Amino acid sequence: MFCYQCEQTAGGTGCVKMGVCGKNPETADLQDLLIYAIEGIAKYAHRAGKLGLQDRTIDRFVVEALFTTVTNVNFDPARLETLIQRAGKIIAEAQNLYKNACKKGGKTPEVLSSPADWKAPSSREQMLAEAQSISIAKRLEVLGPDVAGLQELILYGLKGVAAYADHAMILGVEDDSVYAFFHEALDFLTEPQAEDVDTLVAMTLKVGEINLKVMEMLDQANTQTYGHPEPTSVRVTPVKGKAILVSGHDLKDLYMLLQQTEGKGINVYTHGEMLPCLAYPGLKKFKHLVGNFGTAWQNQHKEFDVFPGAILMTTNCIQRPKESYKNRIFTTGLVAWPDVRHIGEDKDFSPVIQAALAAPGFTADAEEKRIMVGFGRNAVMSVADKVIEAVKAGKIRRFFLIGGCDGAKPGRNYYTELAQSVPDDCVILTLACGKYRFNMLEFGDIGGIPRLLDIGQCNDAYSAIQIAVALAGAFNCGVNDLPLSIVLSWYEQKAVCILLTLLHLGIKNMKLGPSLPAFIGPNVLNVLVEKFNIAPISTPEKDLAEALA
Ligand code: SF4
Ligand code: SF3
């Protein structure tokens, strides 16, 4: 195996024996082969699309396959094997689609190069053998760190976009041009032009552009289904009673679980990136959605261990379940772990409910503690006048957007220290799970405007961008000229596509940590520094002094 797609990659260079995330070599190799297979599918789908024929089964399969290979989603070789077999059928369908499109358009089908000729191997052994010949390590050897790294940057960006597209699709929002881009970009990666650095850089920015569109679609899907998030005080300590904990990012899974648990005497809690769900009118209306339990994904061993109920993982980030809770954790959607019970597409959560009823639940109320969530674009815009006035009056000196993923590295304390050191006349905007480093702390307010504004999940990055654009509009300047410092933490591929969107928007001077991606080659890093003045985080003191200078 060779995998360097996430921030915790072994030694900062690549996981080669076993993933730090828990991904074993078999799973890693099957994921690589699945990606190779969808590149083959995309070669046909892209060309068919250009001739006016698309197929939603093919489109959705490609998106799901990409999301499946995101860090901490699918660790189950058996499910990956099934997906690869399905890819074998889908590639034949894509080939037919292309042939039909050519026939309709009076064109002769092109003879396409690999991986268009890919066929699903008949056994897992053969799949694993084939995976060796298409490994990233091989490409690194042949193409070098800049070209191979840029190709992977595009692929990881696409994986992130696919995650957001999948969430939007689940809520009924899809777009032909987005699917067409997935095929175009995957096809691009198989073509000789994908060895030219400038062409590769242009494609990475295009991934960022499409991601902006997808994030807008997701924002639309979430808000039209569950209403706009509204500022909400949420309980972060348990109450007495049977309990289910929901982690991941999927709003619809939570909604369906809430429906199925209504009146059953079970309290439902959010975990990790599900915290912002407590601010949606369509979700918080359920009285038995009582609050949030725990923090970010990397603390799940400790937190799930002591949670006295059932646990549901709706998307990333799952870690190897401990024996102590393996019989009461469930996966659904694309998430999978061998021997962990999976709730299928019928979304019948009865096994989760039974496990919750069989577990002891919380025996007493803990001391009540609350935090504020729900400062999405709609809520922030509704007080925009107040905010702009406060900036003009010098009461708000600067905004700090401290957002992104959390993770296990000790260096991530930087984000806590930075948030704590931000002066009292500055406002902190935050989103994604990195906020757990500081969201339980007391920040107070500036003339009634809370100093810590939680915009939501990483899935709500569109909301953060809209807030920045609205502020820039109000001050008649560009986003780069706003009194705004952007300090990002990344962990996996969703953060990659958000970063690409910010670069596509021309945002400069961002700080990125806790370490730079291993897949960014030295020359590509120079391009990023020269063009966007992006820099690694240093110390909270130094970065703060620079921001306030
Ligand atoms: Fe390693 Fe991250 Fe890949 Fe897991 S996803 S194998 S931790 S680089
Ligand atoms: Fe990233 Fe797993 Fe938290 Fe959604 S998704 S932010 S790490």
Side-chain angles (χ1 to χ4, degrees):
M1 74 177 280
F2 180 89
C3 181
Y4 66 168
Q5 69 173 353
C6 86
E7 178 267 331
Q8 66 179 359
T9 194
T13 53
C15 296
V16 289
K17 288 201 176 106
M18 178 77 194
V20 175
C21 59
K23 186 159 84 175
N24 64 22
E26 196 176 30
T27 305
D29 290 350
L30 292 173
Q31 288 187 355
D32 288 350
L33 188 61
L34 181 60
I35 294 294
Y36 185 74
I38 60 166
E39 285 177 351
I41 293 167
K43 289 191 79 70
Y44 295 114
H46 172 51
R47 285 166 180 77
K50 281 205 294 187
L51 294 170
L53 276 194
Q54 277 191 271
D55 179 312
R56 279 283 156 93
T57 307
I58 295 169
D59 298 339
R60 289 178 186 155
F61 181 79
V62 166
V63 164
E64 285 179 359
L66 284 165
F67 190 6
T68 291
T69 64
V70 164
T71 300
N72 289 348
V73 175
N74 187 339
F75 292 86
D76 187 354
R79 282 189 46 153
L80 286 160
E81 191 183 328
T82 309
L83 278 167
I84 291 169
Q85 278 160 356
R86 182 132 187 262
K89 295 200 176 81
I90 298 269
I91 198 168
E93 286 168 25
Q95 192 170 10
N96 279 336
L97 186 76
Y98 177 47
K99 274 189 197 151
N100 289 340
C102 287
K103 213 175 187 178
K104 267 177 83 181
K107 296 234 155 55
T108 311
E110 284 175 61
V111 179
L112 300 176
S113 57
S114 291
D117 53 358
W118 179 82
K119 290 198 172 40
S122 51
S123 70
R124 194 183 297 183
E125 287 64 36
Q126 284 170 358
M127 288 175 188
L128 292 169
E130 195 179 303
Q132 304 314 312
S133 62
I134 49 102
S135 73
I136 301 167
K138 275 243 155 66
R139 263 189 302 122
L140 268 166
E141 248 175 62
V142 177
L143 302 169
D146 286 317
V147 169
L150 272 170
Q151 291 179 350
E152 292 304 298
L153 174 60
I154 291 167
L155 177 65
Y156 303 156
L158 289 174
K159 290 184 180 193
V161 186
Y164 297 131
D166 188 61
H167 281 288
M169 186 267 287
I170 286 169
L171 291 173
V173 179
E174 295 173 274
D175 186 287
D176 283 347
S177 67
V178 168
Y179 287 128
F181 179 73
F182 279 111
H183 302 316
E184 179 193 336
L186 288 167
D187 169 65
F188 165 82
L189 290 174
T190 68
E191 294 285 320
Q193 41 173 338
E195 293 182 21
D196 173 67
V197 169
D198 291 338
T199 317
L200 283 160
V201 169
M203 183 55 91
T204 56
L205 296 180
K206 212 163 164 202
V207 174
E209 182 183 352
I210 291 292
N211 185 50
L212 182 62
K213 184 180 173 77
V214 172
M215 303 231 68
E216 184 183 1
M217 286 161 55
L218 179 55
D219 179 279
Q220 180 204 335
N222 286 341
T223 54
Q224 79 188 11
T225 313
Y226 303 109
H228 278 278
E230 43 195 42
T232 309
S233 160
V234 301
R235 188 173 172 126
V236 290
T237 49
V239 294
K240 187 178 171 182
K242 302 283 183 185
I244 295 176
L245 188 59
V246 185
S247 197
H249 298 73
D250 199 282
L251 275 58
K252 192 171 178 187
D253 282 332
L254 175 63
Y255 179 81
M256 287 186 286
L257 180 77
L258 286 165
Q259 278 186 320
Q260 292 177 34
T261 45
E262 206 163 19
K264 292 214 160 55
I266 298 171
N267 293 323
V268 177
Y269 296 80
T270 60
H271 178 268
E273 278 279 72
M274 295 301 282
L275 166 68
C277 295
L278 291 155
Y280 284 88
L283 296 169
K284 69 179 192 175
K285 68 178 183 192
F286 291 94
K287 295 281 170 287
H288 62 299
L289 179 62
V290 292
N292 187 75
F293 178 88
T295 55
W297 66 272
Q298 77 281 358
N299 298 323
Q300 65 189 256
H301 281 156
K302 200 172 71 201
E303 292 168 356
F304 293 178
D305 197 22
V306 298
F307 186 79
I311 301 146
L312 177 66
M313 298 300 301
T314 65
T315 63
N316 52 327
C317 298
I318 190 171
Q319 292 182 291
R320 174 188 298 281
K322 284 174 78 172
E323 287 305 320
S324 62
Y325 60 81
K326 203 168 177 185
N327 65 346
R328 54 188 172 86
I329 185 168
F330 298 81
T331 57
T332 192
L334 298 175
V335 197
W337 195 284
D339 302 330
V340 164
R341 278 178 288 174
H342 188 79
I343 305 298
E345 280 173 24
D346 62 356
K347 299 288 175 185
D348 176 1
F349 292 114
S350 311
V352 185
I353 294 169
Q354 280 154 19
L357 293 172
F362 289 102
T363 52
D365 289 352
E367 190 188 334
E368 184 164 344
K369 193 166 180 267
R370 292 181 164 269
I371 60 169
M372 288 297 294
V373 299
F375 295 96
R377 65 187 166 90
N378 203 49
V380 174
M381 306 293 199
S382 68
V383 292
D385 289 356
K386 237 169 128 182
V387 173
I388 292 158
E389 210 177 286
V391 175
K392 286 189 174 155
K395 288 182 186 144
I396 295 179
R397 178 159 43 142
R398 198 167 186 82
F399 297 91
F400 284 83
L401 175 66
I402 308 178
C405 310
D406 207 350
K409 279 221 177 110
R412 285 181 182 268
N413 284 342
Y414 164 93
Y415 297 96
T416 318
E417 288 164 27
L418 180 73
Q420 281 175 312
S421 329
V422 166
D424 289 350
D425 58 357
C426 298
V427 168
I428 301 169
L429 302 160
T430 190
L431 74 166
C433 65
K435 63 170 160 264
Y436 281 106
R437 295 273 163 179
F438 49 82
N439 71 342
M440 309 275 173
L441 304 174
E442 193 48 63
F443 286 95
D445 66 287
I446 300 175
I449 302 161
R451 283 193 57 238
L452 178 69
L453 297 172
D454 181 354
I455 298 168
Q457 297 180 333
C458 61
N459 295 24
D460 299 309
Y462 177 75
S463 210
I465 290 167
Q466 287 306 103
I467 292 168
V469 169
L471 281 175
F475 290 108
N476 211 7
C477 67
V479 172
N480 285 322
D481 306 313
L482 281 173
L484 168 70
S485 301
I486 302 179
V487 190
L488 303 174
S489 54
W490 84 286
Y491 168 61
E492 35 72 356
Q493 300 79 52
K494 294 208 255 174
V496 171
C497 70
I498 292 172
L499 181 66
L500 295 181
T501 296
L502 295 172
L503 297 179
H504 152 72
L505 290 170
I507 311 284
K508 293 190 171 151
N509 309 321
M510 292 182 285
K511 300 267 183 221
L512 182 63
S515 53
L516 294 179
F519 51 83
I520 301 271
N523 294 317
V524 177
L525 186 61
N526 286 343
V527 173
L528 290 180
V529 174
E530 272 165 33
K531 246 179 127 173
F532 299 100
N533 199 27
I534 195 163
I537 55 168
S538 61
T539 64
E541 299 74 31
K542 199 164 161 267
D543 291 348
L544 201 57
E546 194 184 298
L548 296 169

